[in-house]
Amino acid sequence: MTLFDCLKTFYRCKDFIRFIIDYKWNKLQKDLLLSSYFWGHLVTQIPFGYFADIWSSQKIFAFGAIICGVFNMLIPVAARFTDLEGVIVCRIGMGLTMAGLLPCTQSLLSKWAPPAERSRLGTFSYSGGQFGTVITLIVAGVLAESSLGWPSIFYMLGALAIVWGIAFLWFGADSPSVHRSISQEERMYIEESLKTSEAERNEKKKIKTPWKEIFTSKPMWAIIIAHSAQNWGYVTLLTEIPSYMSGVMKYKSMTVSNKILQKLFIGNILIFVVDKKLFSALNVSL
């Protein structure tokens, strides 16, 4: 079952229209609202990447999640009392605080992931965004049809971000050498595999960034163009699908059935298992 099929089923039922408030926003206003998150994201991503290296990627990540959660919980209140302007401010704030997600993740992986495990750990880390999106699409429908209504989506997800941020602030660390509870054996394994320690890092001279070589590198520009194109398509699909399902496909409801959950998870898990067994068999035969 594809993501489009899931969303098509997601919006198909027409027996639930309560709790959905129409704020009478036109298309331009909706587009401004959807894009406002990325305004903030664009402004602070590079600065956060710099501060993650010279200060603390763990703290930037944790405080960003906490503040983003607060803004998320304020969206229903802002929509009720301040209309569009307040919601846009909340969305910009979320973008500003969560722009450190990718650079901080990269910084943490460079200090925690041994080279032999870096590809696997990096894949797990970055695929969490797509996995969380699928989970949220399902949970959002369940919450919307509950007695709490659509605001509960923002309250629950915002509270979850705050709880996660506090937990990561307490249990996480920038590197193995400053972690509270890591074993000496695990710390030595990570640092030895990375061929460095915090003491050695502090002794190294700061390397001057080769800006000229970076901006004149054709492979670098090829990666930037390809990555930008991929993100453009992905973000456009993600933000515009609800509008497409409502405005074009005319699916007005947001209810989610257990059938979707079963198709989405059990079906894809079975496909994954079958594929793994098939490729394992092919490898053995070869």
Side-chain angles (χ1 to χ4, degrees):
M1 186 179 188
T2 65
L3 178 60
F4 181 80
D5 292 331
C6 172
L7 288 167
K8 184 176 178 181
T9 309
F10 182 88
Y11 284 95
R12 179 169 288 160
C13 297
K14 300 180 183 295
D15 59 343
F16 174 70
I17 55 174
R18 13 176 224 161
F19 307 122
I20 306 300
I21 301 174
D22 187 358
Y23 286 97
K24 306 298 182 182
W25 295 334
N26 58 40
K27 186 180 184 304
L28 176 59
Q29 291 174 316
K30 292 177 182 178
D31 290 342
L32 286 173
L33 177 59
L34 290 173
S35 64
S36 58
Y37 171 86
F38 303 100
W39 304 348
H41 202 277
L42 181 65
V43 170
T44 55
Q45 189 171 55
I46 293 178
F48 274 154
Y50 174 75
F51 287 112
D53 188 46
I54 66 171
W55 182 48
S56 170
S57 53
Q58 178 235 2
K59 290 182 175 62
I60 292 174
F61 206 159
F63 284 123
I66 293 171
I67 298 172
C68 182
V70 172
F71 277 121
N72 202 33
M73 296 180 72
L74 288 174
I75 285 180
V77 180
R80 180 177 180 182
F81 293 104
T82 66
D83 201 58
L84 181 68
E85 291 77 9
V87 180
I88 289 179
V89 169
C90 290
R91 292 272 296 172
I92 293 174
M94 292 170 65
L96 288 169
T97 54
M98 286 310 295
L101 171 63
L102 295 179
C104 288
T105 299
Q106 195 68 25
S107 177
L108 289 169
L109 285 172
S110 69
K111 299 174 184 177
W112 279 95
E117 304 175 40
R118 187 167 293 165
S119 297
R120 182 168 63 253
L121 293 176
T123 300
F124 287 158
S125 300
Y126 288 112
S127 63
Q130 285 70 33
F131 183 75
T133 299
V134 174
I135 295 292
T136 302
L137 286 171
I138 297 173
V139 173
V142 174
L143 291 174
E145 71 172 345
S146 70
S147 59
L148 297 175
W150 67 267
S152 63
I153 301 171
F154 297 92
Y155 296 143
M156 191 206 77
L157 296 177
L160 184 62
I162 294 172
V163 171
W164 184 91
I166 294 173
F168 188 62
L169 192 62
W170 180 257
F171 294 106
D174 286 307
S175 65
S177 63
V178 296
H179 196 276
R180 292 190 181 100
S181 58
I182 190 173
S183 66
Q184 184 68 18
E185 181 181 1
E186 184 179 8
R187 174 188 166 182
M188 291 300 298
Y189 165 71
I190 295 174
E191 292 187 342
E192 285 297 320
S193 65
L194 295 173
K195 302 298 182 183
T196 186
S197 66
E198 285 301 304
E200 291 171 341
R201 288 173 64 89
N202 292 332
E203 290 175 1
K204 288 182 179 179
K205 294 182 179 179
K206 185 176 180 180
I207 301 175
K208 186 178 179 181
T209 304
W211 293 111
K212 180 181 178 181
E213 288 75 9
I214 290 175
F215 286 107
T216 56
S217 170
K218 292 181 180 179
M220 190 276 294
W221 282 109
I223 292 174
I224 289 178
I225 293 171
H227 190 62
S228 298
Q230 186 275 333
N231 273 325
W232 183 279
Y234 171 74
V235 171
T236 301
L237 180 68
L238 188 62
T239 56
E240 294 296 337
I241 273 183
S243 298
Y244 176 80
M245 301 302 291
S246 176
V248 178
M249 303 300 292
K250 305 301 180 183
Y251 296 132
K252 302 298 183 183
S253 176
M254 294 184 65
T255 190
V256 178
S257 66
N258 289 330
K259 185 177 181 180
I260 298 175
L261 188 64
Q262 292 170 2
K263 285 185 178 180
L264 184 63
F265 287 99
I266 298 177
N268 284 285
I269 289 173
L270 289 175
I271 291 173
F272 175 77
V273 171
V274 170
D275 286 345
K276 289 289 287 185
K277 288 184 178 180
L278 176 62
F279 281 111
S280 297
L282 288 174
N283 288 334
V284 171
S285 64
L286 292 174

